[in-house]
Amino acid sequence: MGATKRDLGLKTVMLTDIFYNRYPNKPVKSAWTELDRRFMFQASKLLRVMLLSKPEWTQNGQDLYEDQTRMESTFENAHERVCDELGVDSLADPYHHYNGRPERKLYSVISNEYLNQKYDLRVQPFITIGLRLSLIEQVLRIHSDFVARLNDGLDSKLEAARSLDSNMSPFSLFNNEQHVLANHKRITEHLSAAILEINERLRQAAYPLSYNNGFFQFTDDRLTSDEIHEPFWSLVADPMWSNVDLQMKEAIDRRDNADRTAAFHAVSALESVIKIISGKKGWNTGMEKGAANYVDNLGSRANGNFIEQWEADLLKKMFTDVRNPFAHGPGPDRMPSLSPQQTNWAIDTAMSWAKSLIQRM
């Protein structure tokens, strides 16, 4: 998942998990319509607004300059990632032509032109949609990673700002600490608003997708998505739950590609939740041999019955009946598998349990 690096000596090449490659056998739509054209226009505009939000206050125009620089870097990074995976140099004509002399376009311009290109009737609709969604996904993912790093470094930035303020004239109208906080709030709120809007635009375009923590993924049940999936992804966005996030994304990717082991990864994500909670609460004994022992830690009376006995019994059944058959070779017995409906149930149930347990922390 995400992107990894290979050093080939000459340059670093990014191996990127793009939407188009992730779902080769599951088209988003079978026809290109006016809804698709509108979505691509709206998404391209939304990305620029997200990356170039007007600062509420600035010092010598520095914030606006940093936003412009970051916007161009984000589009360049996203563009290059997608191009590398598709084996092309550019997604659209990279040059302006004035009086016969070529001039290189900004990557934000190239990306905008690509997303708004007129649909080519010679290309199957699901290919065009999948490729353009890949670029949108990468821009969102790269900026989300930047905001995560911004959050991680906020305390040190505030400390440096306070140090600057302590050395400034008491009559100065500029407060560095307030400036850092305002800038941080602006950037994080614009990202949150962009994600909410992109998911609403996906609904309006009749795409069975939602964006969660860096990835577009299929969702077939709107109510389940609203009540379970979206709260789940919001909760596991915290770095503490990074393994849960990765395992559940793996489960959904495998489900959407008809892989019979999807439920195994979903229930493994649930196991990670249980282990993390047990460890964070200080309930591990060091004698645990499997998921059931960690469930017992949560249900222990000595630990305040974090979960009730009936809940512990249901959780253990998830591991015994859903996950364990896929964790061992079947030998001469029938290869374990679940129907698509059973797989969806397993993923939704694992998400629901995880959401409930995390919210009790």
Side-chain angles (χ1 to χ4, degrees):
M1 307 292 289
T4 57
K5 293 182 178 179
R6 283 188 298 139
D7 189 353
L8 302 184
L10 297 177
K11 70 171 186 174
T12 298
V13 177
M14 297 298 294
L15 300 176
T16 306
D17 181 358
I18 66 171
F19 179 83
Y20 179 73
N21 289 344
R22 198 158 64 247
Y23 298 113
N25 301 313
K26 189 162 183 174
V28 175
K29 291 179 71 176
S30 59
W32 177 274
T33 70
E34 173 64 12
L35 290 177
D36 302 293
R37 186 200 65 78
R38 291 179 190 174
F39 173 81
M40 297 303 167
F41 172 82
Q42 293 158 350
S44 63
K45 184 175 182 180
L46 174 63
L47 295 178
R48 296 194 303 275
V49 170
M50 175 186 73
L51 292 166
L52 198 58
S53 55
K54 183 180 178 181
E56 295 179 8
W57 61 321
T58 184
Q59 185 178 32
N60 301 323
Q62 183 65 24
D63 289 335
L64 188 57
Y65 172 76
E66 289 178 356
D67 280 2
Q68 290 171 330
T69 303
R70 185 171 58 252
M71 179 178 76
E72 195 56 31
S73 174
T74 299
F75 275 112
E76 178 180 4
N77 196 351
H79 177 273
E80 293 303 294
R81 287 186 182 186
V82 176
C83 284
D84 282 347
E85 296 308 311
L86 299 182
V88 298
D89 290 326
S90 185
L91 297 175
D93 184 354
Y95 293 100
H96 294 291
H97 299 275
Y98 294 113
N99 298 323
R101 298 180 61 182
E103 179 181 325
R104 183 81 189 190
K105 298 175 185 174
L106 296 173
Y107 280 97
S108 54
V109 174
I110 296 172
S111 299
N112 181 62
E113 289 180 355
Y114 175 66
L115 292 176
N116 288 286
Q117 277 179 351
K118 184 178 180 181
Y119 173 62
D120 187 342
L121 294 173
R122 298 170 296 178
V123 181
Q124 295 186 50
F126 77 89
I127 294 178
T128 297
I129 294 170
L131 291 176
R132 295 186 191 185
L133 284 172
S134 296
L135 179 61
I136 296 167
E137 179 186 67
Q138 287 303 312
V139 174
L140 288 166
R141 187 188 302 171
I142 292 166
H143 188 58
S144 295
D145 289 344
F146 161 75
V147 173
R149 294 192 300 272
L150 194 68
N151 290 333
D152 290 341
L154 180 59
D155 288 343
S156 60
K157 280 194 172 184
L158 287 174
E159 184 177 349
R162 293 188 194 104
S163 177
L164 287 173
D165 289 336
S166 66
N167 294 320
M168 291 179 67
S169 165
F171 302 104
S172 174
L173 297 178
F174 190 84
N175 183 288
N176 286 282
E177 181 180 3
Q178 290 181 19
H179 172 73
V180 169
L181 286 171
N183 193 46
H184 179 269
K185 180 181 178 182
R186 172 179 63 89
I187 292 172
T188 54
E189 286 184 350
H190 273 76
L191 173 61
S192 297
I195 291 172
L196 287 173
E197 183 170 341
I198 203 73
N199 280 327
E200 180 57 33
R201 295 296 186 185
L202 289 167
R203 293 188 186 101
Q204 292 177 5
Y207 291 169
L209 301 168
S210 64
Y211 175 84
N212 300 293
N213 298 349
F215 296 87
F216 284 132
Q217 292 180 311
F218 282 86
T219 177
D220 298 320
D221 182 341
R222 193 77 263 157
L223 179 61
T224 299
S225 177
D226 291 344
E227 297 296 326
I228 298 177
H229 293 193
E230 289 186 12
F232 168 82
W233 293 119
S234 177
L235 288 168
V236 300
D238 188 293
M240 180 195 309
W241 310 104
S242 60
N243 286 335
V244 180
D245 178 80
L246 287 172
Q247 286 175 300
M248 195 61 77
K249 284 173 179 170
E250 183 72 20
I252 292 175
D253 285 351
R254 288 175 180 267
R255 178 201 65 186
D256 293 339
N257 286 292
D259 187 313
R260 66 181 185 82
T261 64
F264 169 84
H265 291 278
V267 183
S268 294
L270 175 58
E271 180 182 8
S272 288
V273 170
I274 293 168
K275 287 182 175 179
I276 292 169
I277 292 174
S278 180
K280 287 291 183 180
K281 293 288 188 179
W283 295 336
N284 289 353
T285 65
M287 302 296 291
E288 295 85 2
K289 295 183 178 180
N293 298 133
Y294 289 97
V295 173
D296 288 337
N297 291 347
L298 270 60
S300 168
R301 181 178 298 177
N303 295 333
N305 291 114
F306 185 79
I307 58 175
E308 299 293 337
Q309 185 59 49
W310 64 268
E311 294 178 297
D313 293 340
L314 289 174
L315 283 168
K316 289 178 182 179
K317 288 285 285 181
M318 286 284 291
F319 296 109
T320 301
D321 296 340
V322 180
R323 189 198 63 170
N324 290 356
F326 293 91
H328 309 285
D333 298 331
R334 184 175 64 86
M335 185 67 71
S337 63
L338 298 177
S339 69
Q341 294 79 14
Q342 290 169 329
T343 298
N344 283 336
W345 173 87
I347 292 174
D348 292 343
T349 302
M351 278 190 175
S352 184
W353 268 117
K355 177 171 74 84
S356 175
L357 295 173
I358 293 172
Q359 288 175 332
R360 302 183 201 193
M361 285 282 283

